């Protein structure tokens, strides 16, 4: 206690068996979908690619990824990424995306992709900032929310950068 | 006298002793058998063989051999000593002391036996004996440091401080000038500190201070030196010097409240009850302001000011105290502030302050008069604080609204769920409280505190099986339940015991309560090793403190609860003796007598078989040893022959059992009304009239206006009046005593019991619990007055205690009291109409109570989950931020 310091700490931490409930709590309020056990198993299996974001020691956001094998290369699928409403606009989402990008660069990942509901302009604009591009539209991707279509957003990681490193 | 052994055997005997000391028991046995081959009746060898076998866990043989050895050689101090050691190993210290004394009669100067005896005397608090033995040891061997110290400590314990000081000084006289050597400086320093504390204890303050300062260079523990020095200075009235030292101590540790209060004392600004005049409190304000500047990193100085400041100044300080903590997010903030709520005026100020801060954060995003924008979490912490505030104020609905909003704001903060569970517990919805604690637990499975809190809530909600399953998540594998017993986890045993008691499973309840009692006995045992260890290590101040702690061990609230719980079980067993096998009885009553007999026989056989099985298991356990992984042999723990406490309820006379624990309570918690209430109940049943009367008098002297005191007083004289006229001399004597005593009781002075009851009622006309007691007594005294008595209860009004702010009035009645009244209507009055109308009325006052089946409790909502899900979803779907915004960055699943 004490001290007038107003330093705000922002940390990313791993998801484990013991705190997976935190991720579930976030998902319950962030997304209109109930995720199944496979989602959580994939998230735990992706290791460092799945993270909880802590703002002043409070868990306020998360990114959950799944690693996929695609023709001799590994790509990252971002299953969910979200931040609790009161804590948006503080750079936490950016920090989460950057974390995935940096980690992917280090680990020779060929591409990162994700799905966005086609009317979610904010999210689309957000990912475009990081160099994601819309590569296709999937019809009737969602079953119980409208609009039911989604875009696939993709970012290729140039293999050149890997060679340099 | 047995003739001495020939030299070969004499050497073998030495081998036995040596092997015993070095724990090479096998070798010792071999040697013993070799002697016994030639001299089968040699007493000392037989004894030593027994002692060795005892260490190999062959107890029955051990006792046989030791007794045989003694019979063969009654004049041998060895045999007596061995017998004493055997008793000691079984913790039968009284018998052991007797044996040692016999040994010493034969060999009065045997140092080893004297030392062993002194340890037992310290353990048993035979202080005069302890002094004697220690003196003898010192006389025999005065070149041993430990003997000097031991004698001094013995004198001290025997309340002879001065003598103890003299001994220590005599000991110092034997030391060289350059004492101590480097490796003994700590020990010597401790001895010096002990000596000055003795001087202080016997009031020789000047001398103590002089001595302390003279020896300063030789004292290693500088902090203890300073603390003792300042304590002496203050007692001597040398306050200026004291002030200086307290200030320097504060600089070393600005978190120690004792230093602050010490400093206040030196400045003449301290009052025990925390009340200060206006002048004093403004002086204190100045003092603490300057301390806050000097000790800017300490929160204690800031917090203490809140205790003495009043009015506007209090508000200002509270404001600047809570702001940074809300920004930072300190979950313990409310419990830090909670003592302030004892003063209603402060609680009101805090409420205004908190609401203003909340409003400001909501509207401007920052605190009032502050340019700085608060982080989003501040609102959540604010709501968290407010909900605990309103919980404390008894405004459950507001508290729940605040906590729900906080959960909706940030659903990942575990403390919010724990707090909501606590609020619901206070509101009387125990199943919902348990479910919330479980939710909190699920959010961090590595947190033992959350796990324990959840278990406690489950037990409070009588979900014992679930509680058991949850609690073992944190015990070591394999040994599940025993592990908790071995760890002396008493809160758990008490909570389970109480739950079993509520559910009427007296066996299991007793099992748990008695386990707690056993732990206290074990703790008394645990001090044994320290009698020698502390003297050797010279940690004398802590040693004496530990002994004093042990002397009042049984006054601990855990013990009190366990003993009271056990006594209640025994009372119930006495009142409903067949309760435990009521089912069987019922079954039997429907059968013809011949079959009844058969069934009974069958039952008896079954019991006998079970008993035998348990015994066999036990035997196996105590005879065998397992070799653990490390290769060490470990005795297996005996199997519990009665895991469900079935034997505990099948006792001849529950009242005698209860009396055992009552005696401990009377000795150790005589200041508790409950103790004497239990004594009253127990002794009335035992028809010990005078003891019951003594209990009544004790209750009256502790609190003569207490409803229970009143109940017992009236019940007692009412019962006595129904007794048959005394026949025997002793009965006549008792009656005379009571008649005379009755005259001395102001409550009954020149009054009938009915009048006494009326005057008690008049005196406490506004209090529910007093009215209930008066009503009950009215009915007990005259059962035709039932309607009048019931009216007394139903006419009670639930007044408003205080109206504060916009958030609604607070009513006077407590949930616990209303439940007690409800039970009274159900049991004593046995009036279903009155009790159900009471239930309906209370359901309105306590809308979350499961006991009253209140509209918002989980009992009414059918499912606990519904209640909770509803709450946590509330925020998310209705909070206006809605799911629209929540999709902000959302990418949905495949």
């Amino acid at each position: 206690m004490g001290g007038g310091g107003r330093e705000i700490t922002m940390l990313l931490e791993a998801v484990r068996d013991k705190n997976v409930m935190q991720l579930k709590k976030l998902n319950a309020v962030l997304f209109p979908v109930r995720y199944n056990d496979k989602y959580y198993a994939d998230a735990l299996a992706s290791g460092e690619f799945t993270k909880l974001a802590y703002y002043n020691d409070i868990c306020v956001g998360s990114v959950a990824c799944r690693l996929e094998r695609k023709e001799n290369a590994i790509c990252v699928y971002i299953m969910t990424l979200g931040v609790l409403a009161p804590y948006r606009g503080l750079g936490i989402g950016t920090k989460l995306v950057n974390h995935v990008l940096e980690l992917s660069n280090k680990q020779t990942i060929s591409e990162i992709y994700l799905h966005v509901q086609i009317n979610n302009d904010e999210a689309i604009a957000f990912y475009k900032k990081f160099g994601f591009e819309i590569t296709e539209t999937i019809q009737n991707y969602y079953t119980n929310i409208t609009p039911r279509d989604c875009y696939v957003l993709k970012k290729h990681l140039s293999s050149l950068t890997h060679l340099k490193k | 006298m047995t003739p001495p052994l020939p030299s070969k055997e004499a050497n073998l005997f030495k081998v036995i002793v040596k092997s015993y000391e070095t724990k090479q028991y096998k070798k010792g046995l071999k040697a013993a058998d070799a002697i016994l081959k030639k001299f089968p009746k040699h007493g000392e060898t037989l004894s030593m063989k027994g002692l060795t076998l005892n260490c190999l866990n062959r107890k029955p043989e051990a006792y046989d051999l030791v007794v045989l050895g003694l019979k063969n050689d009654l004049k041998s101090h060895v045999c007596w000593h061995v017998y004493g050691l055997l008793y000691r190993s079984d913790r039968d210290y009284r018998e052991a002391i007797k044996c040692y004394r016999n040994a010493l009669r034969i060999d009065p100067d045997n140092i080893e036996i004297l030392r062993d005896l002194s340890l037992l005397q310290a353990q048993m608090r035979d202080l005069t004996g302890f002094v004697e033995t220690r003196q003898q040891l010192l006389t025999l061997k005065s070149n041993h440091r430990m003997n000097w110290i031991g004698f001094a400590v013995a004198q001290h314990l025997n309340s002879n401080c001065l003598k103890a000081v003299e001994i220590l000084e005599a000991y110092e006289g034997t030391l060289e000038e350059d004492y101590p050597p480097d490796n003994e400086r700590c020990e010597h320093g401790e001895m010096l500190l002990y000596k000055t504390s003795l001087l202080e204890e016997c009031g020789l303050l000047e001398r103590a201070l002089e001595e302390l300062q003279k020896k300063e260079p030789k004292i290693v523990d500088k902090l203890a030196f300073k603390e003792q020095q300042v304590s002496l200075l203050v007692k001597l009235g040398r306050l200026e010097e004291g002030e200086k030292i307290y200030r320097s101590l504060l600089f070393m540790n600005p978190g120690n409240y004792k230093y602050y209060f010490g400093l206040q004392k030196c400045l003449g600004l301290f009052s025990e009850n925390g009340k200060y005049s206006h002048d004093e409190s403004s002086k204190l304000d100045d003092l603490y302001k300057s301390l806050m500047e000097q000790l800017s990193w300490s929160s204690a100085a800031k917090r203490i000011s809140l205790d003495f400041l009043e009015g506007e100044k209090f508000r200002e300080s509270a404001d600047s105290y809570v702001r940074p903590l809300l920004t930072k997010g300190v979950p313990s903030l409310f419990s830090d502030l909670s003592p302030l709520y004892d003063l209603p005026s402060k609680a009101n100020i805090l409420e205004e302050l908190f609401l203003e801060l909340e409003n400001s954060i909501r509207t401007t995003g920052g605190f009032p008069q502050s340019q700085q924008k608060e982080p989003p979490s501040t609102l959540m912490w604010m709501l968290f604080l407010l909900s605990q505030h309103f919980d404390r104020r008894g405004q459950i609905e507001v508290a729940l609204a605040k906590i729900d909003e906080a959960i909706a704001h940030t659903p990942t903060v575990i403390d919010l769920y724990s707090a909501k569970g606590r609020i619901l517990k206070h509101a009387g919805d125990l199943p919902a409280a348990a479910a919330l604690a479980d939710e909190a637990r699920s959010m961090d499975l590595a947190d033992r505190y959350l796990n324990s809190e959840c278990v406690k809530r489950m037990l409070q909600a009588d979900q014992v099986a679930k509680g058991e399953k949850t609690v073992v998540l944190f015990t070591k594998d394999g040994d599940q339940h025993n592990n908790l017993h071995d760890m002396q986890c008493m809160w758990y045993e008490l909570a389970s015991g109480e739950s079993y008691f509520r559910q009427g499973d007296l066996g299991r309840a007793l099992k748990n309560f008695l386990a707690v009692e056993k732990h206290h006995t074990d703790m008394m045992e645990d001090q044994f090793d320290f009698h020698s260890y502390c003297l050797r290590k010279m940690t004398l101040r802590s040693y004496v403190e530990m002994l004093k702690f042990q002397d009042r061990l049984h006054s601990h609230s855990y013990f009190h609860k366990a003993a009271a719980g056990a006594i209640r079980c025994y009372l119930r067993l006495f009142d409903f003796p067949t309760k435990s096998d009521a089912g069987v009885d019922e079954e039997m009553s429907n059968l013809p007598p011949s079959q009844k007999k058969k069934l009974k026989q069958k039952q008896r056989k079954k019991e006998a078989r079970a008993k035998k099985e348990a015994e066999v298991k036990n035997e196996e356990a105590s005879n065998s040893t397992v070799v653990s992984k490390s290769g060490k042999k470990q005795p297996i723990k005996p199997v519990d022959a009665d895991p469900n406490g079935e034997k505990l309820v099948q006792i001849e006379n529950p009242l005698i059992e209860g009396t055992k624990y009552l005696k401990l309570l009377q000795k150790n918690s005589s200041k508790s009304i409950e103790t004497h209430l239990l004594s009253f109940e127990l002794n009335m049943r035992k028809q010990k009239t005078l003891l019951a009367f003594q209990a009544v008098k004790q209750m009256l002297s502790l609190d003569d206006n207490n409803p229970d005191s009143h109940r017992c007083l009236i019940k007692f004289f009412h019962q006595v009046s129904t007794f048959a006229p005394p026949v025997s001399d002793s009965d006549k004597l008792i009656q005379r005593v009571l008649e005379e005593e009755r005259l001395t009781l102001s409550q009954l002075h020149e009054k009938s019991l009915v009048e006494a009851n009326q005057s008690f009622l008049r005196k406490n006309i506004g209090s529910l619990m007093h009215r209930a007691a008066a009503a009950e007594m009215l009915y007990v005294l005259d059962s035709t007055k039932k309607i009048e008595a019931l009216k007394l209860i139903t006419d009670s009004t639930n007044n408003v205690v205080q109206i504060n702010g916009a958030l609604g009035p607070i009513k006077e009645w407590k949930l616990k009291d209303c439940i007690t009244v409800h039970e009274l209507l159900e049991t004593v009055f046995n009036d279903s109409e009155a009790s159900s109308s009471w239930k309906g009325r209370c359901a309105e006052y306590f809308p979350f109570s499961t006991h009253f089946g209140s509209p918002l409790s989980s009992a009414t909502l059918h499912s606990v989950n519904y209640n909770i899900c509803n709450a946590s979803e509330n925020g998310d779907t209705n909070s206006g931020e809605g799911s629209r915004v929540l999709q902000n960055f959302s990418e949905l699943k495949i």
Side-chain angles (χ1 to χ4, degrees), chain B residues 617-636:
Chain B
K617 256 192 203 168
N618 239 340
E619 196 104 313
E620 277 169 8
S622 55
N623 282 342
S624 55
T625 47
V626 258
V627 181
S628 71
K629 274 180 211 148
S630 57
K632 245 189 187 170
K633 278 190 181 172
Q634 285 175 336
I636 320 181

Side-chain angles (χ1 to χ4, degrees), chain B residues 18-75:
Chain B
K18 185 101 196 246
S19 318
Y20 170 74
E21 280 163 1
T22 53
K23 297 186 177 172
Q24 293 172 297
Y25 304 122
K26 286 263 156 72
K27 199 172 159 197
L29 273 186
K30 241 185 223 162
D33 286 335
I35 301 176
L36 290 173
K37 225 177 197 172
K38 273 193 178 166
F39 303 94
K41 286 192 168 178
H42 189 250
E44 294 183 353
T45 309
L46 286 167
S47 290
M48 280 308 296
K49 186 180 173 189
L51 189 62
T52 310
L53 285 173
N54 182 51
C55 297
L56 291 169
N57 236 344
R58 289 158 68 177
K59 279 223 182 288
E61 282 174 81
Y63 269 91
D64 289 348
L65 280 170
V66 171
V67 172
L68 184 66
L70 188 60
K71 261 188 205 153
N72 289 346
D73 195 353
L74 268 174
K75 289 267 187 305

Side-chain angles (χ1 to χ4, degrees), chain B residues 243-481:
Chain B
E243 182 195 335
K244 248 189 218 151
I245 296 180
Y246 272 126
R247 283 189 189 274
S248 73
L249 281 169
L250 273 177
F251 209 75
M252 290 161 72
N253 178 5
N256 191 333
Y257 276 38
K258 277 188 204 146
Y259 298 161
Y260 288 95
F261 299 143
L263 178 60
Q264 279 178 235
K265 272 179 205 155
C266 290
L267 296 167
L269 288 170
F270 185 79
S271 88
E272 282 299 337
N273 61 10
K275 291 205 166 61
Y276 297 97
S277 71
H278 186 74
D279 183 43
E280 281 170 334
S281 91
S282 79
K283 272 187 193 155
L284 274 175
D285 193 19
D286 293 340
L287 169 66
Y288 276 93
K289 272 191 183 132
S290 74
L291 286 173
M292 276 182 239
E293 268 166 42
Q294 287 158 22
L295 313 166
S296 58
W297 66 97
S298 146
S299 65
K302 294 176 198 131
R303 173 62 187 80
I304 294 172
S305 335
L306 299 183
D307 289 333
F308 60 78
L309 290 174
E310 304 269 355
E312 193 46 39
K313 275 194 172 165
F314 169 74
R315 194 198 146 100
E316 277 168 30
S317 301
D319 191 5
S320 55
Y321 184 71
V322 298
R323 281 189 193 196
L325 304 185
L326 286 166
T327 307
K328 193 174 177 199
V330 177
S332 61
L333 177 56
F334 179 76
S335 39
D336 179 24
L337 296 175
S338 94
L340 299 171
Y341 284 78
D342 294 341
L343 273 181
S345 61
K346 289 196 179 181
N348 287 340
I349 294 177
L350 288 176
E351 182 160 311
E352 276 170 35
L353 170 67
F354 294 164
L355 288 171
E356 190 194 316
L357 293 179
E358 181 201 10
N359 184 42
S360 168
I361 296 169
R362 276 187 202 280
T363 48
T364 69
F367 288 121
Q369 292 97 43
S370 160
Q371 302 303 314
Q372 208 139 15
K373 226 169 143 51
E374 285 299 309
S377 49
T378 307
L379 177 59
M380 182 268 299
W381 291 119
M382 188 75 239
L383 290 165
F384 178 54
L385 179 63
L386 273 166
S387 84
Q388 296 171 89
H389 165 89
F390 284 113
D391 178 34
R392 171 72 186 243
R393 302 277 269 177
Q395 287 167 283
I396 301 289
E397 276 103 333
V398 191
L400 283 173
K402 298 285 176 200
I403 200 76
D404 282 341
E405 197 188 337
I407 291 176
H409 181 282
T410 313
T412 46
V413 176
I414 302 173
D415 302 84
L416 302 179
Y417 298 84
S418 300
K420 187 172 175 189
R422 267 193 299 278
I423 297 169
L424 282 168
K425 180 187 97 127
H426 299 153
D429 193 341
L430 299 176
L436 270 156
D438 197 30
E439 196 177 359
R441 179 190 72 80
S442 75
M443 291 171 72
D444 187 351
L445 297 172
D447 190 321
R448 184 196 285 264
Y449 171 79
L450 292 174
N451 196 72
S452 297
E453 191 181 36
C454 171
V455 171
K456 201 168 175 187
R457 297 266 177 276
M458 287 171 167
L459 294 175
Q460 283 164 344
D462 291 341
Q463 304 163 350
V464 183
K466 250 168 126 185
E468 270 175 24
K469 243 186 233 157
T470 311
V471 78
V472 295
L473 294 174
F474 272 82
T475 56
K476 276 186 210 148
D477 293 335
D479 204 9
Q480 308 296 9
H481 236 95

Side-chain angles (χ1 to χ4, degrees), chain A residues 25 59 88 115 120 122 141, chain B residues 412 439 885 887 891 894:
Chain A
K25 284 274 170 201
C59 176
R88 289 180 193 153
H115 296 112
N120 195 345
E122 267 183 278
Y141 178 74
Chain B
T412 46
E439 196 177 359
V885 194
Q887 284 176 23
E891 299 67 46
I894 349 91

Side-chain angles (χ1 to χ4, degrees), chain B residues 11 30 108 110 162 248 341 357 468 497 528 598 608 621 631 640 643 686 688 692 704 740 745 765 769 777 852:
Chain B
N11 279 334
K30 241 185 223 162
N110 187 312
L162 267 182
S248 73
Y341 284 78
L357 293 179
E468 270 175 24
F528 193 90
K598 265 190 201 161
D640 190 345
K686 284 169 81 182
K688 301 272 187 199
D704 60 357
E740 273 174 38
L745 294 171
I765 194 78
M769 291 315 276
M777 288 309 108
F852 292 120

